Amino acid sequence: MQNILASSWVIPFLPFMAFALIGLFLYRWPKLSAAVSILAIGSSLVYSVLVAMAVFSKGPGVFEIAARWLNMPGLQVDMGLLIDPLTAVMLLVVTIVALLVQVYSIGYMHDDPGFASYFAYQSIFAGSMLGLVISNNFGQIFVFWELVGLSSYLLIGFWFGRHSAREAAKKAFITNRVGDFGFLLGILFLQIIFGTLNFSDLSGAIASYTNTAVLITVSLLLLLGPVGKSAQFPLHVWLPDAMEGPTPVSALIHAATMVAAGVYLIARAFFIFNTSPETMMVIAVLGGFTALFAASIALVQNDIKRILAYSTLSQLGYMIMALGVGAMTAGMFHLMTHAFFKSLLFLGAGSVIHALANEQDIWKMGGLHKKMPITTWTFVIGALALSGIPPLSGFWSKDEILLGTFASGHMGLYILGSLVAFMTAFYMFRLIFVAFFGENQAGEHAHESPAVMTVPLIILAVLAVFAGFVGSPLMNYAFAHYITYPGAVHHTPSMTIMLISSALAVSGIFLAWAVYQKQWLDYEELKIKMGGIYLLLYNKYYIDEFYAWLIKHFIDGTARLMEWFDLKVVNGAVNGLAWLTGYLGLNLRYTEDGQVQTYAIYIYAGMVVLIISALCAVFTAIA
């Protein structure tokens, strides 16, 4: 078992090798490139299963090895592995979702000219996330953190011939630079204050550190990284636009890689954040606000992928809120279950888009349940899991969050979370009743996707149903057993909370059915009555427009001011000195005419000046 854990570095190494092989040698053979990429991530999954078996068979514990990577005065950074139950769970989640997404991509991307490049990017994306998960220190995690960002940039902008895809990739990259700047500052402060970036060493050092102000500052700086990566308000704006990439990319970003990295980092560094009640409150409120904010936007969106994107934002807020109230177990549990049903939903959306020649407007779909039965019913299973309908996986993890929030005494956040549960069920089944069971607007060309796409949907649907049972009250210690870690707890189940949350979810589904299926209420009339509120939600609270205004008037204005300063002041000073030198040279040249008489005059004038100066000095001394 020790040998298996010690060689866990193979798990991220295999996808990186696939990326190198495809990029250097195999890009001319697309099918072979796909086979190598899938074989690599499949092997990583097998190895992850072996690691999980080794971890859970030996009981709670931590396995760590490290080697010195960078050694210079005042800075030593190790490269190493940290394998514990939290790592094992994340390895399984990432490899399962990444494998199914890549298999699905064979059908979705089959006629794309960039087929080989796509699988190369998928490999480096998966490898970067896996490397991040097994890292044992902040220095190493930051390297993989940035590689995850680079991979998302490449995949979001994969169809770079589209202006919208290029802009979305830039938006994701630049927005994350804001968060990563604060994250890097926090890492540097840790190195300066504690002299180490190793998680185990930091845990011991911080436990005995008493300067609360410093801990708050450092933890808030570190938090900026997850705010960017996990798209929390106000750095959330990049994630909806990330839909410009291929749909399987969206499934990977939203389920198991990019956005999961931020939540995982908070859990991994929970010993830092948990030392400051002020920081924990910021995390909880930020997560709760993002959950409500994003869910409200999803209520009125018409693009199938954008509805799911804002759903992801909302569910990430749920996870962050859980971590902020101290329910780390619940947050990570929801991350696991969410990975399965959200990847299912995105791949289901991709199946619809693929069948409808890239149509994404739900109002131009309808009647799909007859033509795409597998896609329809797997999508419904994913939506039920996301809505928290028992006994599907989302029910157990969502209720664990609500229970943890309630038990922590944050009643306001508990009510907010319950409201979000209602909204989630409503907007998901609004999508389903319009796109799958509404009046047929898709025409006769809609068809079920090939088996290479539907089989991953079926597997994910099974996981969406049953994966939550590992954290149900039927299990001893429930999910806390699987992420054994300081702060991993499992609250006593509350039937009242279960009934309330389930009733809210069912109410949301019923309201969506009444409005969009039975049409007991005229939704067009509702839009008119909502007036400004509808426009506010549809336009996403005008946050993007505000940022565009800010960029145009503040950032671009500052740039124009600096341009003027550079051209007029800096260049003016340099050019002015050059002009003065030239002017003086141009005029002084007349003093050098080669005439002896002229030089005699200069000598005479100089003597007169010297005599006058001497006489002035003498008279001054006498006076």
Side-chain angles (χ1 to χ4, degrees):
M1 291 298 184
Q2 290 292 103
N3 292 335
I4 291 175
L5 296 177
S7 55
S8 300
W9 57 269
V10 171
I11 297 173
F13 177 75
L14 290 172
F16 278 125
M17 277 300 298
F19 167 75
L21 288 172
I22 295 169
L24 294 175
F25 306 111
L26 305 178
Y27 58 90
R28 296 180 184 274
W29 300 279
K31 292 183 179 179
L32 181 58
S33 298
V36 168
S37 180
I38 292 171
L39 179 62
I41 193 63
S43 301
S44 294
L45 171 58
V46 172
Y47 214 103
S48 297
V49 172
L50 295 176
V51 168
M53 292 171 61
V55 169
F56 296 129
S57 64
K58 62 183 289 189
V62 176
F63 176 85
E64 183 175 3
I65 58 174
R68 187 52 48 87
W69 178 26
L70 180 63
N71 191 2
M72 57 188 296
L75 179 62
Q76 292 82 37
V77 180
D78 292 340
M79 177 179 288
L81 307 173
L82 177 61
I83 308 297
D84 62 3
L86 178 61
T87 306
V89 168
M90 284 298 298
L91 289 176
L92 289 174
V93 169
V94 174
T95 51
I96 289 172
V97 174
L99 174 61
L100 293 174
V101 166
Q102 289 197 25
V103 172
Y104 175 98
S105 298
I106 294 174
Y108 192 88
M109 302 291 291
H110 67 95
D111 58 350
D112 195 283
F115 191 82
S117 298
Y118 171 84
F119 277 92
Y121 297 159
Q122 281 275 2
S123 292
I124 192 174
F125 203 2
S128 301
M129 185 63 191
L130 292 168
L132 186 153
V133 167
I134 66 172
S135 297
N136 74 329
N137 64 81
F138 274 109
Q140 183 178 329
I141 216 170
F142 187 76
V143 172
F144 288 112
W145 184 272
E146 294 303 317
L147 279 174
V148 167
L150 170 64
S151 306
S152 66
Y153 170 78
L154 294 173
L155 285 167
I156 293 169
F158 182 75
W159 288 321
F160 54 83
R162 302 177 183 175
H163 175 75
S164 57
R166 296 196 301 271
E167 292 302 308
K170 288 194 298 183
K171 191 174 187 179
F173 193 81
I174 294 170
T175 304
N176 275 275
R177 297 289 68 74
V178 176
D180 291 355
F181 176 70
F183 182 38
L184 181 58
L185 285 178
I187 292 174
L188 293 175
F189 275 124
L190 288 175
Q191 175 64 38
I192 293 169
I193 297 166
F194 300 104
T196 181
L197 297 177
N198 181 274
F199 292 128
S200 301
D201 295 339
L202 282 171
S203 180
I206 288 175
S208 58
Y209 194 72
T210 57
N211 193 326
T212 305
V214 170
L215 289 177
I216 293 174
T217 303
V218 171
S219 59
L220 289 176
L221 287 171
L222 293 175
L223 178 62
L224 284 175
V227 168
K229 274 288 187 292
S230 290
Q232 297 297 285
F233 181 87
L235 300 182
H236 66 283
V237 291
W238 69 269
L239 190 57
D241 287 2
M243 300 301 97
E244 292 297 333
T247 303
V249 171
S250 302
L252 199 58
I253 289 176
H254 286 250
T257 52
M258 183 82 165
V259 297
V263 178
Y264 171 76
L265 179 71
I266 295 177
R268 174 56 71 197
F270 199 65
F271 62 89
I272 297 178
F273 297 105
N274 201 31
T275 57
S276 169
E278 294 82 3
T279 300
M280 293 292 281
M281 180 55 67
V282 170
I283 295 172
V285 172
L286 181 65
F289 176 79
T290 303
L292 181 63
F293 171 82
S296 66
I297 296 174
L299 293 172
V300 299
Q301 297 302 305
N302 298 324
D303 185 306
I304 188 171
K305 289 175 67 175
R306 285 189 178 272
I307 295 171
L308 297 179
Y310 282 105
S311 171
T312 299
L313 284 174
S314 182
Q315 297 304 305
L316 288 168
Y318 246 113
M319 300 172 206
I320 299 291
M321 180 180 73
L323 294 167
V325 299
M328 195 266 280
T329 307
M332 291 306 299
F333 185 22
H334 198 56
L335 185 150
M336 184 198 77
T337 60
H338 178 266
F340 298 136
F341 56 70
K342 185 51 65 70
S343 56
L344 168 60
L345 290 168
F346 266 108
L347 295 185
S351 180
V352 172
I353 294 167
H354 181 265
L356 300 182
N358 297 319
E359 181 58 64
Q360 296 183 198
D361 190 336
I362 61 174
W363 296 101
K364 297 180 181 179
M365 299 176 185
L368 297 178
H369 69 287
K370 297 178 182 178
K371 301 175 182 180
M372 307 180 69
I374 297 176
T375 298
T376 297
W377 294 111
T378 53
F379 196 95
V380 169
I381 289 172
L384 288 170
L386 174 58
S387 301
I389 299 298
L392 280 73
S393 60
F395 165 74
W396 304 110
S397 57
K398 179 202 67 177
D399 272 45
E400 188 80 18
I401 290 176
L402 293 176
L403 179 60
T405 306
F406 182 84
S408 67
H410 295 83
M411 286 303 298
L413 291 176
Y414 166 73
I415 294 171
L416 182 150
S418 299
L419 176 60
V420 170
F422 169 81
M423 296 165 70
T424 301
F426 175 81
Y427 66 67
M428 283 308 303
F429 279 84
R430 168 183 177 265
L431 185 163
I432 287 172
F433 290 131
V434 172
F436 291 94
F437 296 95
E439 183 180 349
N440 185 7
Q441 302 289 335
E444 298 301 321
H445 61 281
H447 56 84
E448 186 59 273
S449 298
V452 74
M453 295 172 67
T454 55
V455 170
L457 294 180
I458 294 170
I459 295 173
L460 286 167
V462 172
L463 290 170
V465 173
F466 295 107
F469 283 101
V470 300
S472 74
L474 305 174
M475 298 287 292
N476 188 27
Y477 300 115
F479 193 69
H481 172 73
Y482 295 96
I483 59 164
T484 304
Y485 197 75
V489 296
H490 177 63
H491 296 285
T492 303
S494 170
M495 188 60 66
T496 302
I497 288 178
M498 288 184 183
L499 289 174
I500 291 174
S501 65
S502 299
L504 288 169
V506 171
S507 299
I509 296 172
F510 176 79
L511 181 60
W513 175 78
V515 175
Y516 297 99
Q517 184 67 27
K518 303 302 290 183
Q519 298 183 13
W520 290 347
L521 295 173
D522 189 332
Y523 46 83
E524 292 295 339
E525 186 178 337
L526 282 175
K527 286 166 55 174
I528 295 172
K529 288 182 177 180
M530 290 175 66
I533 297 176
Y534 175 84
L535 290 175
L536 185 67
L537 298 178
Y538 184 77
N539 290 287
K540 302 157 288 187
Y541 293 95
Y542 297 97
I543 300 294
D544 290 89
E545 288 78 4
F546 171 71
Y547 284 167
W549 178 87
L550 198 64
I551 290 170
K552 180 179 179 180
H553 291 87
F554 181 74
I555 297 178
D556 290 354
T558 302
R560 286 192 291 270
L561 178 63
M562 296 307 294
E563 179 189 32
W564 176 88
F565 183 82
D566 180 53
L567 293 176
K568 300 300 183 181
V569 179
V570 177
N571 284 1
V574 173
N575 293 337
L577 183 61
W579 175 86
L580 180 62
T581 303
Y583 177 81
L584 291 175
L586 184 66
N587 288 277
L588 288 175
R589 65 180 180 169
Y590 295 112
T591 63
E592 303 292 335
D593 58 1
Q595 298 294 323
V596 175
Q597 296 92 328
T598 302
Y599 300 145
I601 292 173
Y602 294 158
I603 293 172
Y604 176 75
M607 291 176 62
V608 170
V609 170
L610 288 173
I611 292 170
I612 292 174
S613 299
L615 290 173
C616 289
V618 170
F619 289 138
T620 301
I622 294 174

